[in-house]
Amino acid sequence: SQTIHQWPATLVQPVGSPLSLECTVEGTSNPNLYWYRQAAGRGLQLLFYSVGIGQISSEVPQNLSASRPQDRQFILSSKKLLLSDSGFYLCAWKRTGTGGHEQYFGPGTRLTVT
Amino acid sequence: EDKVVQSPLSLVVHEGDTVTLNCSYEVTNFRSLLWYKQEKKAPTFLFMLTSSGIEKKSGRLSSILDKKELSSILNITATQTGDSAIYLCAVLRYAGNMLTFGGGTRLMVKP
């Protein structure tokens, strides 16, 4: 079976500090990977997605970046955090090819920028 | 630009009530609509709908898609406190890798 991990679970960082959130998937190969942000218990905003190693598509211009150094690893980064970066960050994966349309989510990281 | 709108924004009911949550969409080359339940952390997948008029059912939850009206409903019968959550609707288009999510409906079921 497949599992998806995210860490850390919670993070409090000062404005201007760097950020690195990590997501890994087990039990599947060549998944599509996604980073979302969710503000105040509302809908999900897609930030980045990746269909393969080194392939990143950005959906919203901001001071965040993403990288996919390995097939099942997806990293969200920032060089300098802003207050507006606070939120709940979710990573998700989806089967490629003719697999299902559904995405499966990790447990999330709650980021507070102070 | 794809658009997904959910209503109501929030809902408070008592145990045993039946609720209907709505999702409407505007998307080019619609492929499927998905429902998720989010309690505290990760959204969990409930249903995927691709064809109009075919009801998907799981226990007390059911959902149906109306492609003519560009909408879907999620019904929960005999609600329980454990149904309290945010319910998210999302759409997928053909030749796309991304889901577009609605803003969610926050359901609270009181004992």
Side-chain angles (χ1 to χ4, degrees):
Chain A
S1 65
Q2 300 82 22
T3 54
I4 177 169
H5 304 279
Q6 282 186 248
W7 63 91
T10 58
L11 193 57
V12 180
Q13 292 283 94
V15 168
S17 63
L19 173 74
S20 181
L21 303 182
E22 190 162 343
C23 170
T24 58
V25 182
E26 294 175 359
T28 188
S29 297
N30 195 31
N32 286 353
L33 295 172
Y34 305 83
W35 278 113
Y36 291 89
R37 178 167 59 203
Q38 186 177 35
R42 300 312 303 167
L44 276 61
Q45 178 189 32
L46 179 64
L47 302 175
F48 300 96
Y49 74 94
S50 171
V51 298
I53 295 174
Q55 300 179 63
I56 308 293
S57 296
S58 173
E59 290 301 303
V60 183
Q62 55 215 323
N63 71 320
L64 300 172
S65 62
S67 62
R68 185 169 176 175
Q70 298 179 46
D71 181 43
R72 289 169 288 177
Q73 183 185 30
F74 205 21
I75 296 172
L76 183 70
S77 305
S78 174
K79 290 183 180 175
K80 284 187 180 181
L81 284 168
L82 306 172
L83 283 174
S84 57
D85 291 324
S86 293
F88 190 49
Y89 288 82
L90 287 158
C91 180
W93 73 274
K94 179 180 116 37
R95 287 185 181 86
T96 53
T98 55
H101 306 170
E102 59 270 27
Q103 294 178 14
Y104 299 95
F105 288 84
T109 295
R110 189 161 302 282
L111 172 66
T112 304
V113 182
T114 60
Chain B
E1 186 180 324
D2 297 346
K3 194 174 170 184
V4 180
V5 178
Q6 291 185 245
S7 63
L9 221 60
S10 64
L11 193 54
V12 179
V13 301
H14 288 93
E15 272 192 319
D17 289 349
T18 293
V19 298
T20 299
L21 310 183
N22 300 284
C23 176
S24 62
Y25 60 89
E26 292 175 25
V27 60
T28 308
N29 295 326
F30 172 88
R31 185 176 187 187
S32 59
L33 185 145
L34 292 83
W35 283 97
Y36 285 85
K37 177 184 181 182
Q38 185 180 23
E39 293 181 76
K40 286 183 181 170
K41 294 194 173 180
T44 53
F45 172 72
L46 293 175
F47 299 112
M48 183 184 72
L49 305 158
T50 53
S51 302
S52 254
I54 298 176
E55 185 184 57
K56 291 276 182 95
K57 198 170 169 67
S58 175
R60 295 175 295 102
L61 276 68
S62 63
S63 183
I64 196 160
L65 177 67
D66 186 338
K67 284 187 178 178
K68 195 174 174 184
E69 295 296 324
L70 306 182
S71 66
S72 173
I73 58 170
L74 175 68
N75 280 319
I76 309 175
T77 59
T79 51
Q80 301 171 357
T81 55
D83 295 326
S84 296
I86 295 174
Y87 290 84
L88 296 164
C89 166
V91 295
L92 177 71
R93 53 154 86 170
Y94 276 100
N97 290 302
M98 303 168 295
L99 291 175
T100 301
F101 280 84
T105 293
R106 183 182 289 274
L107 173 66
M108 180 182 292
V109 182
K110 292 187 170 181

